Amino acid sequence: MRVDIVPVGDVSAATKREASAGLRSIYECEVSVAAEQSVPADAYDESRGQYRAEAFIDLATRVGSGDKAIAVTPEDLYYRRRNYVFGLAYLDGRGCVVSTYRLQTSSDGGFSARPAEDVFADRVRKEVVHEIGHTLGLEHCENNRCAMNFSPTVREVDLKEETLCGTCQRTVF
Ligand SMILES: [Zn+2]
Ligand SMILES: [Zn+2]
């Protein structure tokens, strides 16, 4: 399997590196990085000040060349009635998206002893593993340590690991 990372907007080199490393280590896949794409202006909702997540999945699917394509963006995303999302994927789809916008938020989970860049890097890895997991058919997992656990806040992201639990692993491999 090859996963193509599609940067949408100004994505830092560190973010691309962490996303690649996370995907390689968990899925043992090849990872490529596509050319940077401009943010789809028609996906912007002025009243919310946020972008519609589905448009980023469409863009990744169109531009990305891999078996799977994941858009990574610093922009703030929403989906339907949810105030924000860290990412979005369709089950068994080819494309998905991760937004780093709210992953910068400081956690109140007692992880303040670690440097902010390290905490951020871990979150990026966990969220890309999570969204690609959905594209491989994984649904949300009850195990709060598993990368497929539904984690709507950074606190919950910080509590889980970047790895898949045994049950999720057996489903994918
Ligand atoms: Zn999910
Ligand atoms: Zn799991």
Side-chain angles (χ1 to χ4, degrees):
M1 175 169 84
R2 182 164 65 84
V3 178
D4 202 21
I5 294 174
V6 181
V8 184
D10 189 13
V11 178
S12 72
T15 297
K16 288 182 246 186
R17 195 173 59 232
E18 293 300 336
S20 305
L23 293 172
R24 276 198 197 97
S25 81
I26 301 306
Y27 297 112
E28 291 171 9
C29 56
E30 282 176 65
V31 178
S32 49
V33 180
E36 183 181 306
Q37 304 295 308
S38 50
V39 177
D42 57 353
Y44 189 66
D45 183 319
E46 241 164 84
S47 63
R48 304 182 62 126
Q50 291 174 302
Y51 288 85
R52 200 164 41 83
E54 299 99 307
F56 288 70
I57 297 182
D58 295 345
L59 180 60
T61 306
R62 206 165 58 239
V63 171
S65 60
D67 302 298
K68 303 289 180 188
I70 182 165
V72 177
T73 185
E75 302 298 339
D76 195 15
L77 304 182
Y78 74 93
Y79 177 62
R80 296 192 177 162
R81 300 179 67 148
R82 287 174 54 194
N83 289 337
Y84 65 87
V85 289
F86 295 143
L88 186 69
Y90 304 126
L91 204 61
D92 286 317
R94 192 175 146 259
C96 57
V97 60
V98 164
S99 160
T100 58
Y101 187 86
R102 293 180 189 258
L103 299 180
Q104 321 263 5
T105 320
S106 68
S107 175
D108 55 355
F111 290 80
S112 52
R114 298 184 57 215
E117 332 61 284
D118 291 1
V119 174
F120 175 73
D122 283 355
R123 290 172 181 168
V124 170
R125 295 166 70 111
K126 291 170 188 179
E127 290 309 296
V128 297
V129 168
H130 181 98
E131 298 307 337
I132 289 293
H134 283 316
T135 71
L136 294 170
L138 293 177
E139 299 192 57
H140 286 149
C141 178
E142 303 270 294
N143 182 336
N144 64 5
R145 293 287 183 189
C146 175
M148 291 313 296
N149 190 243
F150 176 57
S151 44
T153 67
V154 285
R155 187 179 147 73
E156 286 152 301
V157 175
D158 290 344
L159 286 171
K160 69 182 178 180
E161 322 251 338
E162 71 177 66
T163 50
L164 301 173
C165 73
T167 308
C168 288
Q169 270 188 39
R170 279 189 293 277
T171 307
V172 172
F173 298 110

